[in-house]
Every structure is written in C-alpha cells, then in structure tokens.
Amino acid sequence: MRRRSDSQSYGGIFDVDAKRANLTTLEARMSEPGFWNDQQTAQSVVQQIKALKGWIDPFEKIEGRLTSAQELESMLETDPDDDLAGELDAEVSAVSTELETLRTRSLLSGPDDFRDAQLEISAGAGGTEAQDWAAMLMRMYERWAQRKGYSIEILDQSEGEEAGIKGAVIEIKGPYAFGFLKAETGVHRLVRISPFDAQSRRHTSFASVFVYPVVDDEINIEIRDEDIRMDVFRASGAGGQHVNKTSSAVRLTHIPSGIVVSSQQERSQYKNRATAMKMLKNRLYQLEAERQAKKKAELDATKADVTFGSQIRSYVFQPYTMVNDHRTELKIPDVQRVMDGDIDPFIEAYLREFGGQGTGGSAAA
C-alpha cells in the first residue's frame, strides 16, 4: 500500500502547505474590521477561499483515510485476517483513485474551472437520427455526473418529433465540474446503422455541445430590462395529459448580443423566467470570458486559438466500435463503456495536452 511518505510527496505535488498558508492569510483578512466595505475585493477573497478549501479538504480526507489504512495494515501484520485484508485492498484502491482525481484537477488552470457547469446539447441536421444522438449524449453526461457524485438539473429540454431531443440544457453541480467538462465543447459525430432506417443503412449524425461556467451572485453581470425581449409559449411535451394548457414556457432574447435562451421545465412562468435569466447570465459571462481570451491570444500569437464548434470526437458503432478524440488522438474501442459515462480518459488526455492553456491562473494557485 501507499506509505505516509508517498502521501507527503503528493502534498508536494499539490503544494498543499502553500495552499494552507494562503488560506490562513485570507481567512485572517476576512476577520479584519471593514473587510466588507469593498464588496468587489471581499467577493474575490471569498472566491479564493472557496477554491483553496476545494483543494485542502479532499486532500486532508485522503490523508485521514491513509492513516486509518496504515493502522489496519499494522494490525494485520500481527493478526492476519483475510476479510480485513480484503477491506484494506479495497480502501487502498479507493484512495489511489481519489489521489488520481486530485492529480487530474491539478492540471486545471482556468479561473472558472472550480465552478459548476451548464451544458447545452443541440441536435444537428439529420432529423430523428440526429435527435436520438443528442439524447444519447445527454444520457452519457448524466451517467458521467452520477459516477462523480455530482447533481444534475434539467433546465430546458425540447423533445424530438419521433425520438430523442432537439436540444437540452442541463446543469451539473460539483467541484470543478466546468473545469472537467470544458473539454467536451465542440461537435460530436456518430457513425452507426440507424435503427430508424428500414433499409439498415449506415448514417453519420452530428450534435453540438457547449459548456458554460455557472456564475453565482458573487459576480455582477448587469442585464438591463430594456435589453431583453421576453416571449411566452406553451411547453412542449410527450402529449396526452402532460400537454401544457397555459403559456408557461419563457424565451428570453438578449438584444445587444443576440443570445436566446428558453426554459419550459416548470409549470410556473415566473420560475421559468428565473431559470432563463440564470442561463442568460451564464452565457453572457462566458461570452465576456471568450472575448478576453481572444484578446489575450491576439497579443500572444504563439498560443493556439480556441475554436468552439469544431468536430472533436467520433463515436463509431458499425462496422467496428471505436471512440476517437481528434484533438488528442486517444482511441477507446469500447464504445458502450464511453456511452455509459466513462469519458474521464478523454478529459484527462485533453487536460494533459491543453490544460495549461487556460484564460488565467486558478484561484487556488
């Protein structure tokens, strides 16, 4: 099993001692008189404290589990027990997995990486086949989130005419959800024999995925009432008794930027408007972040420009099975495993290759 010295070596990799010292300094600043007089500075400090605790707390939890495992190992040396030995092996494996997760997080460099994530999934051209593919991707990300212990909320969903979805917006809440999922932005390509084709021909379908950081009330995104046009409509559904009889769904258009968002998951028009405003706030924040990143890239021509909407990955079901990430050239032949949410190898490969090209330093640095 991993010894205490190994835990300390990981502490050096994660620079935990420096993070603890930084946390102590920031918490001392919070206790100073007049700290909240400067709201902008105070909010920045609070954000840094949250990010630091997001590193320190899980590391200390791992340290505690390692200490318990070492005590159990000492007991087994004097009094062997097969059942306890099996528990020890399982614990060591679990701790190793958590350490690897923490190591992957160390590759995150963006200032918003610690935030929750909002995913927008849209079916491409191709009718029912593309809409079914969009639904498959949505399920894949839901399964991934469940594996991580993250929570999932469907903010908006538009059903396909026959199957699948035309589009959906989901929010995934958990530590560093955006940092991990930003690797998924782009066009995803499906190649398979379509179950909707009576002649069993092979089809190629596309769906796009865009990922935004979920901004909270600590960040002031000014949205003027006169810049918003609100339209209401009846929510779509599967039909029958579930058809909405009132115009509770809300569509907001931000006139200056042209951004359009909609929400129809709630029966209350008020709740749908609140959800749509949250979605609009996230997208305006991301739009500004992209503008800043573009300016920085123009000043530093040696860095690769970030291109959203490019084809990033192909999922081949027939005549062979293969998932190929075109950015890192990582290939996984078990396509079903990937569709069941095991996309961490792709995320980790992306972060190893591009993780250092964020738009700024991490708040936890």
Side-chain angles (χ1 to χ4, degrees):
M1 68 169 291
R2 200 178 293 281
R3 300 289 180 183
R4 182 74 176 179
S5 60
D6 295 316
S7 173
Q8 292 170 342
S9 70
Y10 267 108
I13 293 172
F14 303 138
D15 204 10
V16 175
D17 289 339
K19 286 180 170 62
R20 285 172 175 151
N22 194 9
L23 178 62
T24 300
T25 300
L26 292 172
E27 288 179 333
R29 285 183 62 185
M30 281 191 68
S31 64
E32 293 175 355
F35 171 77
W36 293 102
N37 292 344
D38 185 343
Q39 286 289 318
Q40 186 173 357
T41 300
Q43 289 167 1
S44 175
V45 170
V46 169
Q47 182 176 319
Q48 291 178 64
I49 287 174
K50 285 183 178 180
L52 286 166
K53 287 184 175 180
W55 276 103
I56 295 168
D57 291 349
F59 186 83
E60 289 182 343
K61 180 181 176 182
I62 290 172
E63 279 191 318
R65 293 181 68 175
L66 278 173
T67 298
S68 298
Q70 286 169 332
E71 292 172 353
L72 183 57
E73 184 183 41
S74 298
M75 291 171 55
L76 287 170
E77 289 175 355
T78 58
D79 186 14
D81 183 288
D82 290 342
D83 290 338
L84 285 179
E87 290 181 16
L88 177 61
D89 289 342
E91 180 70 0
V92 170
S93 177
V95 169
S96 296
T97 299
E98 290 184 10
L99 277 170
E100 284 304 305
T101 298
L102 211 56
R103 182 191 62 78
T104 301
R105 270 181 48 184
S106 70
L107 300 171
L108 300 175
S109 62
D112 297 309
D113 285 348
F114 70 97
R115 299 186 185 279
D116 298 334
Q118 178 183 297
L119 272 76
E120 179 184 3
I121 303 170
S122 302
T128 302
E129 175 71 7
Q131 291 166 14
D132 190 51
W133 174 226
M136 291 167 66
L137 284 175
M138 180 175 171
R139 175 185 177 274
M140 181 183 79
Y141 291 121
E142 290 176 332
R143 289 292 183 92
W144 176 83
Q146 290 166 0
R147 285 169 174 255
K148 290 284 189 183
Y150 292 170
S151 63
I152 307 159
E153 181 181 359
I154 299 174
L155 301 181
D156 190 37
Q157 182 172 319
S158 177
E159 302 289 342
E161 286 87 355
E162 297 180 37
I165 58 173
K166 295 178 181 178
V169 180
I170 61 175
E171 186 169 297
I172 296 179
K173 300 178 182 178
Y176 287 81
F178 174 71
F180 291 128
L181 287 170
K182 67 183 180 183
E184 296 302 299
T185 290
V187 174
H188 296 246
R189 173 176 174 258
L190 168 69
V191 179
R192 69 170 180 177
I193 295 174
S194 173
F196 307 102
D197 187 332
Q199 300 180 36
S200 298
R201 290 172 295 188
R202 193 169 60 154
H203 286 239
T204 299
S205 304
F206 298 90
S208 65
V209 175
F210 290 92
V211 185
Y212 308 92
V214 175
V215 297
D216 50 35
D217 293 334
E218 294 172 3
I219 296 176
N220 183 27
I221 303 294
E222 183 181 0
I223 303 176
R224 300 187 304 172
D225 291 340
E226 57 265 35
D227 289 340
I228 296 176
R229 184 178 73 246
M230 185 175 88
D231 300 303
V232 296
F233 57 97
R234 291 186 181 181
S236 63
Q241 62 181 347
H242 301 293
V243 172
N244 200 329
K245 301 296 193 300
T246 62
S247 298
S248 60
V250 172
R251 181 185 297 109
L252 299 180
T253 302
H254 186 249
I255 298 169
S257 66
I259 293 174
V260 180
V261 297
S262 62
S263 176
Q264 56 181 317
Q265 291 303 107
E266 302 289 344
R267 295 188 177 183
S268 162
Q269 186 184 113
Y270 174 80
K271 290 182 178 179
N272 279 327
R273 187 183 189 281
T275 299
M277 283 294 292
K278 180 179 180 181
M279 294 160 63
L280 178 58
K281 185 177 180 183
N282 292 337
R283 297 189 193 182
L284 287 172
Y285 179 85
Q286 179 68 359
L287 183 64
E288 181 59 29
E290 289 172 13
R291 284 174 181 161
Q292 292 178 9
K294 185 177 181 180
K295 288 180 181 178
K296 185 176 180 181
E298 289 173 353
L299 293 173
D300 187 357
T302 62
K303 290 187 177 180
D305 197 9
V306 179
T307 305
F308 294 102
S310 60
Q311 183 176 311
I312 65 167
R313 196 175 299 148
S314 294
Y315 306 71
V316 181
F317 283 70
Q318 282 100 11
Y320 56 89
T321 61
M322 181 68 69
V323 182
N324 178 22
D325 194 295
H326 303 295
R327 300 161 301 177
T328 63
E329 292 306 320
L330 175 64
K331 298 177 175 64
I332 294 180
D334 190 346
V335 66
Q336 193 56 55
R337 190 185 95 191
V338 173
M339 298 311 301
D340 282 338
D342 190 5
I343 60 173
D344 280 332
F346 294 113
I347 291 173
E348 291 168 10
Y350 175 88
L351 291 175
R352 283 194 298 270
E353 190 159 342
F354 304 106
Q357 298 182 10
T359 57
S362 171

